[in-house]
Amino acid sequence: MTNFVVKTLANAAALAVAIWLLSGITLDDGSSTGRRALTLILVALVFGLVNLLVKPLVKLLSLPLFILTLGLFTLVVNALMLLLTSWLASKLDLSFHVDGFWTALLGGLIISIVSWAMNMVLPDKN
């Protein structure tokens, strides 16, 4: 349970950094800081579920592209997972939006770096 909470907090922090750095990634949940934080945590949960359920299947199906590009296709997959999270968030009435593929590509890169750093700092015990 602790591992799940740690990964969700790392995802939330990574998403917050991407929202802060890129104008094309927005979290427009109005008035209070608490409401924005709750929306950010819910988006982090959606992002975690997308990465848990969809990403392995996409990586398996695109394995030849991973080999051909020596792993750089991972950036494209991360961008697609961020776009899928944006689409699911809109369906769940969460105010998270990614403007386009290139923004998602930069956002995926930022999220990957920040998430890696957060997972290094935060404890990883079950």
Side-chain angles (χ1 to χ4, degrees):
M1 181 68 176
T2 304
N3 192 26
F4 173 74
V5 172
V6 167
K7 290 200 180 292
T8 301
L9 289 175
N11 277 341
L15 285 165
V17 170
I19 291 166
W20 179 60
L21 288 176
L22 299 174
S23 62
I25 300 177
T26 56
L27 184 70
D28 298 325
D29 202 2
S31 56
S32 71
T33 305
R35 181 124 171 103
R36 283 181 58 97
L38 178 63
T39 302
L40 183 62
I41 298 236
L42 291 174
V43 170
L45 286 170
V46 171
F47 187 65
L49 284 174
V50 165
N51 281 330
L52 178 71
L53 300 175
V54 178
K55 191 174 184 177
L57 180 63
V58 171
K59 284 176 111 176
L60 179 66
L61 293 175
S62 60
L63 186 62
L65 288 172
F66 279 99
I67 294 169
L68 185 64
T69 63
L70 301 174
L72 287 177
F73 194 69
T74 303
L75 296 173
V76 173
V77 170
N78 288 343
L80 294 175
M81 296 304 107
L82 192 57
L83 286 171
L84 180 58
T85 300
S86 175
W87 180 78
L88 286 172
S90 71
K91 296 298 178 192
L92 294 172
D93 210 19
L94 298 171
S95 60
F96 176 74
H97 180 70
V98 179
D99 277 340
F101 176 77
W102 295 109
T103 303
L105 191 72
L106 283 173
L109 182 62
I110 291 168
I111 289 169
S112 295
I113 292 168
V114 173
S115 184
W116 170 79
M118 291 296 295
N119 283 315
M120 289 289 118
V121 172
L122 294 173
D124 193 20
K125 296 180 181 175
N126 288 330

